[in-house]
Amino acid sequence: LPISFLLEPQSTNLIDYSRFIGGSGWATLGSSEAFVSGVAPDGNTSVYELTSTGQGKLQKSIIGLAINTEHTLSFYVKQTSATTLVKSRVLSQTGGSGGSNLGEVAYQSQLITDEWVRITHTFTTNDTLGDYIIYLSNALTGGESLQFFGSQVEELPYATSYIPTDGSTVTRSAESCVDA
């Protein structure tokens, strides 16, 4: 049988805090947040949970993205209560408040079990500033909860494996195989 290797290119996680910890710039609107017992995709036994108290949102500003370039947002999410509507979106901040929506991805149909699911959302930047707000949860209905892990934005048209960050962007070198 032939052997195949999956080698990844060099990539940078452009989100400075990929985990949801205090002081990381992640904001909640219309929701409460807590770390609860559970097993995260990396084996950690504490997971970040968002519970909507209205129209729940989890968001973070990200500045300085390359202009007119394809990027991919990815994150892990786990359903803890049935969801009627939940979506991710990327909003350009050109022109101040309101901005322009670069597209959104509804993902409640992917949350059909209580397992972790990786959501990916590809978008092309379209402004002159490179300043955006990313929403991992937008319009979560009141009383519903989701758990999140491992947010990532890459300057690629697809998601690569998770690159953890803790206060700055991190670049993973390209993988190579010699004399295989």
Side-chain angles (χ1 to χ4, degrees):
L1 292 169
I3 297 176
S4 298
F5 295 101
L6 176 61
L7 303 175
E8 290 192 303
Q10 176 175 311
S11 188
T12 301
N13 186 350
L14 300 170
I15 294 180
D16 56 357
Y17 283 95
S18 64
R19 299 169 216 175
F20 309 94
I21 56 174
S24 63
W26 285 98
T28 59
L29 299 171
S31 51
S32 62
E33 60 185 335
F35 280 92
V36 298
S37 263
V39 179
D42 67 351
N44 194 322
T45 57
S46 179
V47 296
Y48 179 83
E49 186 170 272
L50 179 77
T51 301
S52 177
T53 57
Q55 194 175 34
K57 296 180 181 183
L58 175 61
Q59 68 183 49
K60 182 170 180 49
S61 294
I62 186 167
I63 59 171
L65 295 184
I67 307 305
N68 296 319
T69 304
E70 202 166 25
H71 291 78
T72 299
L73 163 66
S74 63
F75 57 95
Y76 292 87
V77 63
K78 182 177 175 182
Q79 175 176 278
T80 57
S81 64
T83 58
T84 55
L85 175 65
V86 65
K87 55 189 171 184
S88 67
R89 75 178 186 151
V90 179
L91 184 71
S92 167
Q93 287 301 285
T94 298
S97 133
S100 61
N101 192 11
L102 299 184
E104 56 192 29
V105 174
Y107 59 87
Q108 68 272 10
S109 64
Q110 296 179 56
L111 301 175
I112 55 175
T113 71
D114 61 355
E115 300 295 321
W116 288 100
V117 176
R118 190 173 195 196
I119 304 299
T120 60
H121 179 163
T122 300
F123 62 97
T124 300
T125 53
N126 69 345
D127 66 15
T128 56
L129 298 176
D131 298 343
Y132 300 88
I133 295 177
I134 56 172
Y135 294 90
L136 302 190
S137 170
N138 188 48
L140 185 62
T141 302
E144 296 176 348
S145 297
L146 294 172
Q147 294 176 348
F148 292 93
F149 174 82
S151 60
Q152 184 161 291
V153 170
E154 300 172 87
E155 193 175 303
L156 290 171
Y158 55 88
T160 66
S161 61
Y162 173 57
I163 304 167
T165 63
D166 193 20
S168 65
T169 62
V170 172
T171 299
R172 179 190 50 240
S173 298
E175 297 174 329
S176 63
C177 180
V178 180
D179 298 329

